[in-house]
Amino acid sequence: MIDQVRIHVSGGNGGRGAVSFRREKYVPFGGPDGGDGGDGGSVVFQADENLMTLQDYGRSLRYVAKNGESGRRRKQTGKNGNDLVLLVPAGTIVTWTGEKGAGTMDLESDGAAVVVAKGGDGGRGNSRFTSSTNRAPRLAEGGEAGEEVDVQLDLKLLADVGLVGLPNAGKSSLLASGSGANPRVASYAFTTTEPNLGVVDIGWSSFVLADIPGLIEGAHEGKGLGDQFLRHVERTAVLIHIIDGSLPDVLDAWRSINNELALHEARLEEKPQIVAINKIDMPEVQEQLSELRESFAAEGVEEVFAVSAVTGEGVTELMRAAYTRAEAEREARKRAPTPEVIEPEVILRPEPDRIMPVVEVEEEGVWRLRHPRIERLADGINLTDMAVAAQFWRELGHIGAIDALERAGAEPGDWILVGKTEVIWR
């Protein structure tokens, strides 16, 4: 079972704006009619209750949404790129980081979704650059690049009841006996290396039972992959703590696992727990049952179930008790008062009227001009065309780039770098 994945995702790039002029009979001086580019698609993660693992994401480490289409003549906007919807199991925590920020979303319920990488905006066509002083614009913007983010997917199983215990305690056998699931079963420790799920039918209802791989001392620190297994316990309503009744010290085994639960997360210590002593088909276990019940009673555990995962003895009663406890927990959560929602303090900051250009020196006589709008405008235009170059420098003047270059010390004849475009300041 794959329950942790790191991937890289990218929103689609916006489409390029079109440079076009009306060329129709009987319509002289038709003017510019280049349409805008379409927006790029976004990357969306959505929970699907029919999925159980993240194994589909082991085949690729990069996912990209569709790009927007370029604008067309007659002011037709290009088609938007389709969003890329990536399905994950319900119970997946999505964490993403990118240049524009980071975030975390718990997709706990079926259909829950989050956008992690937005697609880029489409570029403006030349019809959007028309002004009283520029009646025939030959400029159009390139599309904005889509966001790129690194994503961490962490799956926590959504189960009603979880089976915990030391390795070889009989958890997988109990899962098979109680639910009809077919986990790997053997007579040696660490047979189960990944969580297994089964549906337990108790006659009038059913519930989901999760077999958590065996825990050892130091599991909360990662020993035996314990920290990875323990996080699957967090979402369960009730725990069945199964203990091998043939162990020399049954109580010590019980305390050891409870200690690991508490060290992993304090609230796991408070999670409802049912104690079940396994292997009562063995005579030596049967003989000490009464003594074990008294020992647990001294620890505050009044009810202890005795089962045999091999013969099925006591399993039905145990499963019915687990269902009853899980239902009681659900009802208690429904009746619990809704926590007060504290509204965050809103700090109003004036938005700048426009983004100011930034000039950086690359080397003597070479300057880097940074401004998102101008970088998109310079993308792919033919600056050897004198009319296009004149309009481009006019746009630089409009956003204050000429003044910024002069303040930085640039002079005519220097090279100006804008995105991937290089131009001499004449």
Side-chain angles (χ1 to χ4, degrees):
M1 175 181 177
I2 298 178
D3 54 8
Q4 282 187 318
V5 171
R6 286 189 65 86
I7 58 176
H8 186 82
V9 304
S10 303
N13 298 330
R16 183 174 184 78
V19 175
S20 174
F21 295 88
R22 293 180 65 184
R23 292 291 183 266
E24 301 176 34
K25 193 175 182 181
Y26 309 121
V27 185
F29 311 109
D33 69 347
D36 298 342
D39 296 337
S42 298
V43 180
V44 182
F45 283 93
Q46 182 174 324
D48 185 341
E49 63 182 3
N50 297 313
L51 297 178
M52 301 305 296
T53 76
L54 298 169
Q55 63 184 9
D56 289 345
Y57 296 98
R59 301 168 186 162
S60 177
L61 298 179
R62 183 178 176 83
Y63 296 84
V64 183
K66 295 291 185 182
N67 295 334
E69 293 184 358
S70 298
R72 296 184 289 274
R73 59 191 300 265
R74 297 183 180 179
K75 298 184 180 180
Q76 296 182 70
T77 300
K79 183 179 178 181
N80 292 338
N82 293 329
D83 290 342
L84 176 61
V85 180
L86 300 174
L87 299 179
V88 294
T92 299
I93 296 176
V94 182
T95 304
W96 66 94
T97 55
E99 289 185 0
K100 296 185 177 180
T104 297
M105 179 65 70
D106 188 348
L107 303 182
E108 187 171 356
S109 57
D110 183 48
V114 60
V115 178
V116 299
K118 292 187 63 177
D121 293 334
R124 295 179 296 169
N126 70 327
S127 62
R128 301 279 295 276
F129 289 87
T130 306
S131 68
S132 59
T133 58
N134 188 8
R135 306 302 298 272
R138 300 175 66 181
L139 298 177
E141 288 178 339
E144 182 184 24
E147 290 184 65
E148 294 194 28
V149 297
D150 293 312
V151 178
Q152 170 84 29
L153 301 176
D154 293 287
L155 173 61
K156 294 182 179 180
L157 294 180
L158 290 174
D160 301 298
V161 180
L163 285 172
V164 296
L166 290 171
N168 207 29
K171 298 183 300 299
S172 297
S173 298
L174 185 61
L175 176 68
S177 177
S179 69
N182 294 303
R184 186 180 179 189
V185 178
S187 59
Y188 53 86
F190 297 106
T191 307
T192 302
T193 57
E194 59 186 36
N196 293 304
L197 291 178
V199 177
V200 178
D201 186 352
I202 58 171
W204 64 90
S205 188
S206 62
F207 65 89
V208 177
L209 179 66
D211 168 22
I212 309 301
L215 304 173
I216 60 174
E217 187 174 351
H220 70 283
E221 298 176 338
K223 291 184 180 180
L225 300 179
D227 57 334
Q228 298 184 33
F229 300 150
L230 279 166
R231 60 196 179 85
H232 292 296
V233 177
E234 296 172 17
R235 294 184 185 270
T236 58
V238 176
L239 297 178
I240 295 178
H241 191 154
I242 185 165
I243 309 168
D244 182 352
S246 65
L247 291 174
D249 193 335
V250 172
L251 242 62
D252 184 64
W254 173 72
R255 293 192 189 101
S256 174
I257 296 301
N258 285 344
N259 184 55
E260 293 302 322
L261 293 174
L263 290 173
H264 175 70
E265 187 173 330
R267 64 189 180 94
L268 290 184
E269 191 175 19
E270 306 300 324
K271 191 177 289 291
Q273 186 179 116
I274 298 173
V275 175
I277 297 175
N278 189 27
K279 303 185 181 179
I280 61 169
D281 52 292
M282 300 173 64
E284 59 269 31
V285 177
Q286 276 283 0
E287 291 173 2
Q288 62 175 349
L289 263 181
S290 297
E291 183 181 341
L292 288 174
R293 291 182 192 276
E294 292 177 2
S295 299
F296 274 104
E299 296 285 338
V301 181
E302 297 297 335
E303 186 176 28
V304 175
F305 287 82
V307 301
S308 171
V310 174
T311 66
E313 182 180 354
V315 172
T316 299
E317 291 77 8
L318 173 62
M319 295 304 164
R320 288 178 177 175
Y323 172 79
T324 301
R325 293 288 294 275
E327 281 295 292
E329 283 300 306
R330 291 195 198 97
E331 291 301 319
R333 290 175 185 174
K334 291 178 183 178
R335 293 192 301 268
T338 304
E340 180 184 358
V341 177
I342 301 175
E343 295 292 337
E345 181 182 358
V346 178
I347 301 175
L348 299 178
R349 295 184 177 91
E351 291 291 333
D353 294 334
R354 59 180 182 176
I355 299 174
M356 300 304 296
V358 176
V359 177
E360 301 170 351
V361 60
E362 293 275 323
E363 56 183 88
E364 186 176 355
V366 181
W367 307 84
R368 168 71 64 181
L369 175 61
R370 298 189 185 278
H371 188 279
R373 177 181 163 190
I374 292 301
E375 289 174 15
R376 289 168 61 184
L377 194 61
D379 177 27
I381 65 174
N382 180 15
L383 290 174
T384 60
D385 185 318
M386 297 303 295
V388 173
Q391 292 178 8
F392 177 71
W393 283 104
R394 188 181 297 121
E395 288 295 322
L396 290 184
H398 288 164
I399 68 164
I402 301 297
D403 291 339
L405 286 166
E406 291 176 342
R407 286 195 300 271
E411 299 177 350
D414 288 351
W415 281 96
I416 311 300
L417 310 181
V418 186
K420 299 178 181 179
T421 301
E422 300 179 357
V423 60
I424 296 179
W425 188 4
R426 298 185 184 281

